Amino acid sequence: MPKKIAIIGAGPAGLTAAYLLGKANENVTVFEKDPHYVGGISRTETYKGYHFDIGGHRFFSKSKEVEDFWTEILGDEMLERPRSSRIYYNKKFFSYPLVAFEALTKLGVWESGLCVLSYMRAKLFPVKNPTNFEDWVVNQFGRRLFNIFFKTYTEKVWGIPCKEISADWAAQRIKGLSLSSAIWNAVFKAKPTSKDQVIKTLIDSFRYPKMGPGMMWEVCTLKSKKMGVQVEMNCAVKDIQLNNTTWTVHTSDNRIFDGFDYVLSTAPMRELVTSVTPTFPQQAFDSAKHLEYRDFLTVVLICKDEDAFHDNWIYIHDPSVKVGRIQNFKSWSPYMVPDPEMACYGLEYFCFEGDGLWTSSDADLIALATKEINQIGLTHPEAVVDGYVVRQPKAYPVYDQTYKEKVNDVREALKAYPGLYLIGRNGMHKYNNQDHSMMTAMLAAKNIIAGKEIYDLWDVNEDAEYHEGGERGAEELKKVGGRMVPQKKN
Ligand SMILES: Cc1cc2nc3c(=O)[nH]c(=O)nc-3n(C[C@H](O)[C@H](O)[C@H](O)COP(=O)(O)OP(=O)(O)OC[C@H]3O[C@@H](n4cnc5c(N)ncnc54)[C@H](O)[C@@H]3O)c2cc1C
């Protein structure tokens, strides 16, 4: 008898689980609140034939299982793309990853000398056990480099001072990157001998679907449907209810779906936990209610300039403009732009839902983006022929100083809810890429198919590294890191 599974959200995690469970002949229904798009934050939106991501999405994973999944879905439609990115700071563009000679000349001898001294000082007198982002990065690179290359951009992204951001984020985001490795890479362009040695921040090529990341998830949806998976679009899950051993799902259009053995949720933890009956214990409920998110909007500018710049993206560290990053979608894939004489840029603004940026009219945002891209010197206002705005709520789960305890409260309380799995980025409140989201979905699917709790999803790290031994298969995975957990069900 097939197991009956409800999946909340048709993003990478939800669709990976749906595909794998569909393949195993389970009875799967996916609920997606978006009326048109699948792919969640990894969707590709379209306007007048122009395609663009919600932030450029590189397809890169240390996990062979994830890479194989992408190949199975899209095959030859995956392009191998060169990475090209720069940092804009103090009216200058710096190659990123840094090129030592260029960085030295652009910073100037005096500033470079001060950076070296401040680096030495940080090495001699490091902050012991750094708990916040600022202390962690200063320990690693010195205060002057922190101020130039980390502070402004990071504060634009998170909207809070670097002292209030958990060191976890730095450790995860720039793990493995030290000043010495950055300089070594800059001078010798050292090629890693295996995928395990790749420093994520520095990889110089990646895969990318021909028509953007949404293509992956659109094809995955079609293939899942062919295997019998039901996908309900424009169908937000309002609440879920546990009745003895099965789950009932209530949707925003007042429909009731019942009899589910499992619910896999990729909805933001804050929303999901507060919508479950029986109610979570007070402490876990309050913890979930106080999780924070950072929101995001992209102003897409369609421009009549064929070759203004070739970077995939540029980080804008300069505090004189509000824009945080600029994407050049034609560099991601030439197929994203229908007319070769045109270009399509995405100016990314980090914000909070309801703040001044978020509530600005589209016309004002397009005017702001046009002014700022001109100020930076990448194109001029006359080249801009059209614009479009995409708002993405809850783009980033915030790693503040208390998020970990809050998430732990929820994890602990979850044990009393058999059959309920939180998976994916906002589902688990983990700042991660698609591969991590997918890996948690893959392990949840394996547990469900096996009918027992083989894998603890919370043990997948942000690099989906449980699968660094992907070739060795699932059995080996257990040895290299997939912790066996006591059985919860059956
Ligand atoms: C700016 C930016 C750049 C990024 N760049 C990269 C990159 O280069 N490479 C990479 O691999 N990753 C990147 N990521 C991360 C990637 O977008 C996420 O890891 C991935 O989309 C998470 O997948 P998910 O399925 O867990 O969640 P999501 O993508 O958030 O999908 C969740 C889905 O659930 C739906 N949903 C939510 N609540 C409900 C409800 N109550 N009922 C029904 N449906 C619901 C949502 O509409 C959504 O479709 C980037 C993210 C951002 C913000």
Side-chain angles (χ1 to χ4, degrees), residues 30-269:
V30 180
F31 300 91
E32 170 52 56
K33 69 178 179 185
D34 195 285
H36 310 292
Y37 291 107
V38 294
I41 305 171
S42 307
R43 69 189 179 279
T44 299
E45 294 218 4
T46 305
Y47 172 71
K48 295 185 181 172
Y50 290 83
H51 302 274
F52 36 86
D53 307 8
I54 315 307
H57 274 62
R58 290 186 281 173
F59 282 65
F60 170 81
S61 182
K62 289 180 177 174
S63 158
K64 183 170 186 301
E65 196 168 354
V66 167
E67 293 278 1
D68 286 349
F69 185 99
W70 289 332
T71 306
E72 182 170 330
I73 300 295
L74 278 190
D76 293 346
E77 305 280 37
M78 289 290 270
L79 311 175
E80 184 75 34
R81 299 298 297 161
R83 171 211 169 119
S84 161
S85 57
R86 285 182 291 170
I87 291 174
Y88 178 73
Y89 173 76
N90 202 16
K91 300 194 170 29
K92 294 187 186 97
F93 291 94
F94 295 78
S95 302
Y96 189 79
L98 293 173
V99 175
F101 183 71
E102 183 212 69
L104 282 177
T105 6
K106 287 191 174 157
L107 284 176
V109 179
W110 177 247
E111 181 62 53
S112 302
L114 291 174
C115 287
V116 171
L117 287 177
S118 112
Y119 173 70
M120 283 161 59
R121 187 192 150 102
K123 291 292 147 193
L124 287 172
F125 309 105
V127 177
K128 291 216 165 57
N129 306 320
T131 57
N132 65 65
F133 180 86
E134 181 165 329
D135 291 345
W136 193 95
V137 177
V138 169
N139 272 1
Q140 200 85 345
F141 299 99
R143 180 158 299 281
R144 279 198 100 84
L145 282 173
F146 163 76
N147 284 337
I148 296 171
F149 290 119
F150 294 92
K151 183 177 167 27
T152 8
Y153 181 72
T154 307
E155 290 184 351
K156 275 184 191 179
V157 173
W158 294 107
I160 49 177
C162 289
K163 283 266 184 205
E164 288 174 28
I165 300 166
S166 165
D168 288 1
W169 186 66
Q172 172 181 325
R173 194 66 189 166
I174 38 191
K175 186 169 63 178
L177 178 66
S178 63
L179 188 62
S180 46
S181 63
I183 290 173
W184 182 266
N185 193 284
V187 175
F188 298 108
K189 263 270 171 211
K191 286 267 177 266
T193 51
S194 81
K195 224 171 194 186
D196 292 352
Q197 293 175 357
V198 173
I199 296 166
K200 199 151 91 180
T201 325
L202 301 180
I203 60 163
D204 54 15
S205 77
F206 53 85
R207 292 205 291 168
Y208 189 73
K210 199 171 162 182
M211 301 303 286
M215 182 185 193
M216 174 69 67
W217 304 112
E218 283 152 25
V219 175
C220 183
T221 304
L222 286 177
K223 292 190 169 180
S224 301
K225 280 183 177 170
K226 277 197 185 138
M227 295 185 296
V229 170
Q230 199 180 329
V231 181
E232 298 282 342
M233 296 300 290
N234 200 11
C235 190
V237 170
K238 207 167 55 178
D239 53 71
I240 58 173
Q241 192 181 342
L242 176 64
N243 321 290
N244 296 323
T245 55
T246 63
W247 289 89
T248 302
V249 169
H250 298 254
T251 60
S252 52
D253 53 2
N254 294 322
R255 286 190 289 161
I256 298 171
F257 298 75
D258 58 14
F260 293 105
D261 303 301
Y262 298 92
V263 176
L264 271 57
S265 173
T266 70
M269 186 183 272

Side-chain angles (χ1 to χ4, degrees), residues 387-425:
Y388 185 80
V389 177
V390 183
R391 291 175 178 76
Q392 176 61 52
K394 299 189 177 58
Y396 297 93
V398 170
Y399 278 18
D400 57 23
Q401 295 283 7
T402 57
Y403 88 97
K404 211 183 245 169
E405 289 77 47
K406 293 179 205 151
V407 170
N408 282 342
D409 288 341
V410 171
R411 280 179 63 177
E412 200 46 42
L414 258 182
K415 291 178 182 159
Y417 294 83
L420 175 59
Y421 284 104
L422 305 192
I423 58 171
R425 179 173 169 112

